Amino acid sequence: MLHFDGKNVADVGDEFILRIMLYNVKSESIRNKILDIAELPNSLNNKKHWSPWANIWVGESYRLVDLGDKDVKGLTNLLCNGIRQTYLPLKKKLQKLSLQRLT
């Protein structure tokens, strides 16, 4: 999720934060186990959540500069860096879990 805290339309100077979110897990036990194993490098360990969304990881941020090509490149880099930092570690951790361990 590219998260923007503003209440209006984003503008130059506004900041977007990259978050990986866990969505709509009904069981609190499963949700907690996933959050416990999902500690990833460079996470800000922000446990903030919005029902039914919960943070797994909070990464870098990007401040808008031109609402044009520079921002497209900046936001693209933000997403690509987040994928590089989190995809393989999270995939490996989740593969170790079996359905029996989650329930």
Side-chain angles (χ1 to χ4, degrees), residues 30-78:
I30 293 172
R31 171 184 237 154
N32 288 338
K33 286 181 183 181
I34 292 172
L35 290 173
D36 286 345
I37 64 125
E39 294 175 13
L40 296 166
N42 299 321
S43 177
L44 300 176
N45 294 322
N46 182 336
K47 300 298 183 187
K48 182 176 182 179
H49 64 277
W50 304 267
S51 184
W53 296 92
N55 278 323
I56 289 178
W57 180 82
V58 180
E60 298 172 4
S61 63
Y62 177 79
R63 189 170 306 277
L64 299 176
V65 295
D66 72 350
L67 302 180
D69 291 343
K70 288 180 184 177
D71 287 340
V72 169
K73 184 176 181 179
L75 291 169
T76 300
N77 287 338
L78 180 65

Side-chain angles (χ1 to χ4, degrees), residues 72-88:
V72 169
K73 184 176 181 179
L75 291 169
T76 300
N77 287 338
L78 180 65
L79 288 170
C80 290
N81 290 341
I83 291 167
R84 278 192 288 279
Q85 292 174 21
T86 62
Y87 178 75
L88 286 178

Side-chain angles (χ1 to χ4, degrees), residues 19-34:
R19 299 175 186 274
I20 296 179
M21 306 294 285
L22 179 64
Y23 178 72
N24 203 23
V25 174
K26 302 290 184 198
S27 165
E28 191 66 29
S29 171
I30 293 172
R31 171 184 237 154
N32 288 338
K33 286 181 183 181
I34 292 172

